[in-house]
Amino acid sequence: MAYLQWTENLSVGIPRMDEHHRKLIDLINRVFDAMSGDASAAVDGVLADLLDYTRYHFAEEEKLLAACSYPDLEEHQAVHRSMVKEVLEMRQRHQNDPASVTASETLDFLSKWLMRHIIGKDLRYRPYAENHPAV
Ligand SMILES: [Fe+2]
Ligand SMILES: [Fe+2]
């Protein structure tokens, strides 16, 4: 069962970025699934996948925002950097003491981590990026 789902109201108007966001949602669902079992190695693996894909998505999104001269690019980049740090810290905490990181806390944290960003920050670039000739 999927816990988080992508819906049309999360669309940033750029199909490739929507695909990335769907993939991030999928990875968060996988983190939660892994945590619901008790294989801590699997949890570390999916957290690593989430970090890798997050870094890839953020870099691609920043390129796109630069291409359409998005005025708040610097602020957006700073937010991306601190989001990567948050997941790194969470992975570290899990590595140090797997029992200290519960599945429900993690789902709650990661769903807010992603949804607040898409809704609060990514949706703001839609008017600049959608229909931009450089995109
Ligand atoms: Fe973003
Ligand atoms: Fe994004």
Side-chain angles (χ1 to χ4, degrees), residues 17-77:
M17 293 297 114
D18 287 341
E19 267 317 301
H20 286 189
H21 291 152
R22 283 173 187 264
K23 169 88 177 171
L24 285 167
I25 285 174
D26 181 51
L27 284 164
I28 290 174
N29 285 327
R30 281 175 43 203
V31 171
F32 185 74
D33 285 342
M35 281 189 161
S36 304
D38 54 5
S40 120
V43 174
D44 194 61
V46 282
L47 282 173
D49 290 347
L50 176 64
L51 268 166
D52 280 351
Y53 197 76
T54 296
R55 287 192 172 107
Y56 164 73
H57 167 61
F58 286 174
E60 291 298 301
E61 196 171 70
E62 287 164 19
K63 274 188 230 162
L64 177 137
L65 298 184
C68 54
S69 310
Y70 182 56
D72 294 324
L73 175 58
E74 262 181 52
E75 188 222 316
H76 204 112
Q77 279 171 320

Side-chain angles (χ1 to χ4, degrees), residues 8 16 18 27 32-34 44 48 56 58 67-68 77 90 93 97 106 118 121 124-125 133-134:
E8 204 52 51
R16 204 164 66 87
D18 287 341
L27 284 164
F32 185 74
D33 285 342
D44 194 61
Y56 164 73
F58 286 174
C68 54
Q77 279 171 320
M90 179 204 244
R93 212 166 56 241
D97 180 10
T106 304
I118 296 176
K121 301 286 179 194
R124 288 194 201 167
Y125 67 67

